Amino acid sequence: MVKQNPTIDESSSQSRLEQLERQAYQLRILNEAIRELTLLEDQEEILEKFLLIILGTVGTSRGFAVSMQNYGRTSIFESRGIAASEAQILRECGPQIYGVYFNHLDVLEEVLPKQVRLVTVNEPPQGQDKEVAWPADTRVLVQWTLSSDCYGFVGIGPKITSNDYDTHETDFLLSMTEVLMDCLKMAGSSREVRQLNEDLLQKNMQLNNALSHAQKAQSDLDRQVFHFKALSEMARELSGVFDKKKLLDGFLLMAQGAMSARCGFILLFDVQENRLIISRRGDKAKALDQLDQTRVKQLVLSFYPSPACFSLPDFKVQPLQTSHLAGQALDLPLDMGAVFSLDENYFGLMGFCSKITDEEFSTDEEELLTSLTRNFLLSLENVLSFEIIQKLNLDLGRRNYELSKTIEELRETRDRVNVLQKAGNRISSLIKNELTRLERVNAVDFILIFSLTLVLSLTYNLSSPGGTSPIPKTWTFTSAPEIEADWAALKHQNNAAVFVDARPNEFYSQERIADAVSLPLNLFDFVYLMRFANMDPEKELIVYGRNISRRYDEKVAHELSLRGHKNVRILAGGLNEWKKLNMPVEP
């Protein structure tokens, strides 16, 4: 049995205990380093903290740590206790370090994670390691590779105690380097996550903005659809209305509904009929009958600088605000309104107040009111056109009735003339027979025949509605002044007068003064309505047409004067005198 030396056992146990204590210390440092470095996200702070931990733990005052990217052209460098010149050289030699130690990354498709190796321990770099200007007192150099785009070195100088680094210390340095790589990877991941969060926030902001724009576009679209629907329904409802008062009532009802207003009114001035048409709805509009119409009219006219503005598109519909009523002494129930005009004969204003929601009228509702009012003016124009057409139809019907009656009378007269002609032929035959029989006519027979003819003629005239009066009508009124043919010719050449042919149509068709207008007396009313009703009363009219028994020109000139024409003249000498001057005739 071999008896062991007690002194040697105690020394071995003591060394083992110190080794275990140092390993426990390094593990505690390693744990604290993991806890502290994982909290950092900035690579410079990680390298700085890492370098301080390993220098203090291994007992040296000099060291460096460098992290490189982009073929060594980008690097982060931290150092302690190294000369500034050496640190600057090492900071700038990143591409050289990459060329010596990491150029294999260019050909590798996939890099193994976390590659760590000791380049040198307890001696300066030798061989190819000398190609890089490492600090002269570098004693431990560790190469690490995290990925093809993240790699670097850790180097430390001699220990303060001048002892060599043992295996436990180099293992600790390799473990710390792995912790460094994990923390750099985590920091990179944190940066990516943070960048992703920022990108997501930006995307969310863009989505929110896009959503806001979409909601606004949807709101605008809904508003436009509502406006179009209101305009369409109003156009359809008002298209069948042909009375101004009913048109105002219908429009007010629909506009008040579109505006959600409790009260509304429309005042329409009809200048031609000199009246004010009022349509109102709501309690506040009941007192409109007591309004001073003159003041209201002055208020509306103040929106139009000149009469020509009534028909201009920009002046047809103008917004009316409560501020316009200041100083007008008018109590109009109005929160929002409009002044409108169709022309100088039809204009007015409308107003609405007291929304059902107790809110103020919006800008959109003001635009809607403008569109509705323009649509209302179109309907009002249609109503006025219908009234004009209706009046023309009634007048035309009356004229047609009168013309039919005249034609019937002419037909009856023609029948009577035929009967009288037959009677005259018979009497003439009797007279000829008597004359033949008596071979001569004495004075008594002539007087009897003349008397009989005179009685028959008077009987015909008195019984015929279209007969000739024994006393010419021209004797009962003042004849129009005459104009000499040469003066008339001068006016004809200068187109300064209208020449009126008063003879019956059959004479007019045979021969007439060039450009003369036919106005026969028997069709005077009808032709006048068609050709002269709208003529300027001041226009000079030269009338011609007479024969031995009829003075058509005087009668037609008299009728024209009765219609208000102030410058009617009779052509002296008529058509014969005209032709003597070689003036143009037709056809």
Side-chain angles (χ1 to χ4, degrees):
M1 181 176 181
V2 179
K3 189 176 180 180
Q4 295 182 349
N5 189 343
T7 303
I8 296 175
D9 292 340
E10 290 177 0
S11 176
S12 177
S13 298
Q14 183 65 29
S15 175
R16 179 63 178 172
L17 181 61
E18 291 177 354
Q19 180 180 355
L20 291 176
E21 289 178 352
R22 187 169 55 181
Q23 290 179 351
Y25 171 74
Q26 291 176 347
L27 289 174
R28 187 172 61 256
I29 294 299
L30 191 63
N31 186 40
E32 292 178 357
I34 292 172
R35 187 172 63 251
E36 293 182 9
L37 296 180
T38 52
L39 298 176
L40 303 177
E41 295 182 356
D42 184 74
Q43 291 188 5
E44 291 184 3
E45 292 183 3
I46 293 175
L47 288 180
E48 181 181 6
K49 195 75 175 179
F50 166 79
L51 187 60
L52 292 175
I53 291 173
I54 62 173
L55 292 182
T57 303
V58 300
T60 179
S61 60
R62 287 172 285 183
F64 65 89
V66 58
S67 174
M68 294 180 289
Q69 295 176 339
N70 192 20
Y71 303 101
R73 289 191 287 268
T74 303
S75 63
I76 301 174
F77 181 81
E78 287 292 335
S79 64
R80 288 290 186 274
I82 298 177
S85 57
E86 292 180 332
Q88 182 64 27
I89 292 173
L90 189 59
R91 191 189 305 275
E92 295 176 353
C93 67
Q96 184 182 3
I97 295 174
Y98 179 84
V100 175
Y101 295 98
F102 301 101
N103 56 1
H104 63 283
L105 299 178
D106 295 340
V107 298
L108 293 179
E109 296 180 357
E110 185 175 358
V111 179
L112 295 177
K114 292 176 30 178
Q115 298 181 24
V116 182
R117 76 179 182 91
L118 282 170
V119 177
T120 182
V121 178
N122 295 324
E123 60 183 6
Q126 303 294 326
Q128 67 169 8
D129 302 328
K130 295 182 65 177
E131 297 179 8
V132 179
W134 302 109
D137 53 356
T138 300
R139 291 295 178 268
V140 179
L141 187 61
V142 179
Q143 177 184 357
W144 59 270
T145 304
L146 180 61
S147 66
S148 61
D149 199 35
C150 186
Y151 37 82
F153 273 92
V154 175
I156 56 177
K159 297 177 69 173
I160 297 175
T161 59
S162 300
N163 295 330
D164 291 337
Y165 293 100
D166 57 20
T167 304
H168 297 293
E169 290 170 333
T170 55
D171 290 342
F172 170 75
L173 185 57
L174 292 175
S175 299
M176 282 296 298
T177 304
E178 290 181 354
V179 171
L180 171 65
M181 289 189 292
D182 291 338
C183 292
L184 290 176
K185 183 177 181 179
M186 189 176 297
S189 299
S190 298
R191 285 197 306 274
E192 292 178 355
V193 170
R194 186 170 57 254
Q195 184 63 39
L196 288 174
N197 287 334
E198 292 177 355
D199 293 342
L200 286 175
L201 289 175
Q202 187 175 4
K203 293 292 183 183
N204 287 334
M205 292 178 60
Q206 292 175 353
L207 289 175
N208 289 332
N209 292 334
L211 181 61
S212 299
H213 289 304
Q215 290 175 343
K216 184 177 183 304
Q218 181 66 36
S219 177
D220 294 341
L221 184 60
D222 292 342
R223 185 179 66 257
Q224 291 178 2
V225 170
F226 174 72
H227 288 185
F228 284 134
K229 185 177 180 181
L231 289 172
S232 176
E233 290 179 353
M234 177 170 291
R236 185 175 65 254
E237 293 292 334
L238 300 184
S239 61
V241 179
F242 301 105
D243 180 79
K244 289 194 284 290
K245 183 63 170 62
K246 292 181 179 178
L247 176 68
L248 264 63
D249 292 341
F251 171 77
L252 181 61
L253 176 62
M254 300 190 68
Q256 191 174 348
M259 300 297 159
S260 301
R262 294 190 179 94
C263 177
F265 68 90
I266 305 177
L267 306 178
L268 174 64
F269 288 94
D270 187 344
V271 177
Q272 288 188 339
E273 297 183 3
N274 191 25
R275 65 169 180 154
L276 174 63
I277 306 174
I278 301 176
S279 179
R280 62 180 183 273
R281 295 179 62 85
D283 295 337
K284 293 184 179 180
K286 289 183 178 179
L288 286 177
D289 291 336
Q290 308 301 325
L291 275 178
D292 187 341
Q293 297 186 13
T294 303
R295 289 183 178 275
V296 176
K297 191 173 183 179
Q298 289 175 350
L299 172 64
V300 177
L301 295 179
S302 65
F303 283 79
Y304 301 93
S306 68
C309 295
F310 283 99
S311 301
L312 296 178
D314 293 340
F315 288 86
K316 279 188 170 293
V317 180
Q318 302 179 61
L320 177 64
Q321 306 293 341
T322 54
S323 58
H324 294 114
L325 304 179
Q328 297 291 336
L330 290 173
D331 186 17
L332 292 175
L334 181 148
D335 293 332
M336 178 186 67
V339 174
F340 60 86
S341 67
L342 186 61
D343 52 34
E344 65 274 15
N345 294 320
Y346 295 96
F347 50 82
L349 60 87
M350 65 178 68
F352 299 89
C353 66
S354 302
K355 287 193 67 175
I356 296 175
T357 57
D358 295 328
E359 298 175 349
E360 295 183 355
F361 290 100
S362 64
T363 305
D364 293 338
E365 288 168 330
E366 292 179 358
E367 295 177 355
L368 176 60
L369 177 61
T370 300
S371 301
L372 293 176
T373 307
R374 292 187 184 278
N375 204 16
F376 162 73
L377 291 178
L378 293 176
S379 300
L380 178 60
E381 189 174 8
N382 292 335
V383 170
L384 297 176
S385 300
F386 177 78
E387 290 180 349
I388 293 173
I389 293 173
Q390 196 173 32
K391 290 179 180 178
L392 290 175
N393 287 334
L394 292 174
D395 190 61
L396 184 60
R398 184 175 60 81
R399 297 293 180 184
N400 287 336
Y401 173 75
E402 293 177 354
L403 182 60
S404 300
K405 189 176 179 182
T406 302
I407 293 174
E408 183 64 25
E409 290 175 353
L410 290 174
R411 186 178 298 109
E412 292 176 356
T413 301
R414 184 190 61 187
D415 295 340
R416 289 192 186 95
V417 168
N418 292 333
V419 171
L420 292 175
Q421 284 180 347
K422 291 179 180 179
N425 291 335
R426 174 162 292 186
I427 293 173
S428 177
S429 177
L430 290 174
I431 292 173
K432 287 181 180 178
N433 291 336
E434 287 297 324
L435 289 176
T436 302
R437 185 176 62 82
L438 297 176
E439 293 184 350
R440 67 183 181 88
V441 179
N442 57 28
V444 177
D445 294 334
F446 180 78
I447 293 173
L448 288 175
I449 293 171
F450 178 77
S451 301
L452 182 57
T453 304
L454 181 60
V455 170
L456 291 173
S457 300
L458 291 174
T459 302
Y460 166 73
N461 279 329
L462 294 175
S463 61
S464 176
T468 304
S469 174
I471 301 175
K473 292 183 180 179
T474 55
W475 294 4
T476 61
F477 57 78
T478 303
S479 177
E482 292 186 343
I483 182 171
E484 297 299 331
D486 50 355
W487 276 105
L490 184 60
K491 290 181 178 294
H492 187 275
Q493 292 173 349
N494 295 324
N495 196 24
V498 177
F499 285 73
V500 179
D501 192 326
R503 299 174 299 164
N505 275 332
E506 52 269 27
F507 296 111
Y508 176 81
S509 301
Q510 293 174 0
E511 187 178 37
R512 60 183 178 274
I513 294 177
D515 300 329
V517 180
S518 177
L519 184 57
L521 193 60
N522 58 338
L523 299 175
F524 181 86
D525 292 338
F526 179 74
V527 176
Y528 180 83
L529 178 64
M530 301 298 293
R531 303 292 299 273
F532 292 88
N534 296 325
M535 185 176 292
D536 183 6
E538 301 293 338
K539 184 69 175 180
E540 184 174 9
L541 303 176
I542 299 177
V543 188
Y544 71 93
R546 67 172 61 180
N547 54 27
I548 296 175
S549 59
R550 295 294 183 95
R551 293 180 178 271
Y552 305 109
D553 51 359
E554 292 185 355
K555 294 178 181 178
V556 170
H558 178 66
E559 293 293 336
L560 288 172
S561 298
L562 293 179
R563 295 300 195 280
H565 293 276
K566 301 177 181 178
N567 199 5
V568 182
R569 296 175 181 272
I570 295 175
L571 178 62
L575 184 59
N576 293 331
E577 195 66 25
W578 182 267
K579 292 192 290 184
K580 289 179 181 179
L581 297 177
N582 294 323
M583 292 302 294
V585 294
E586 295 174 343

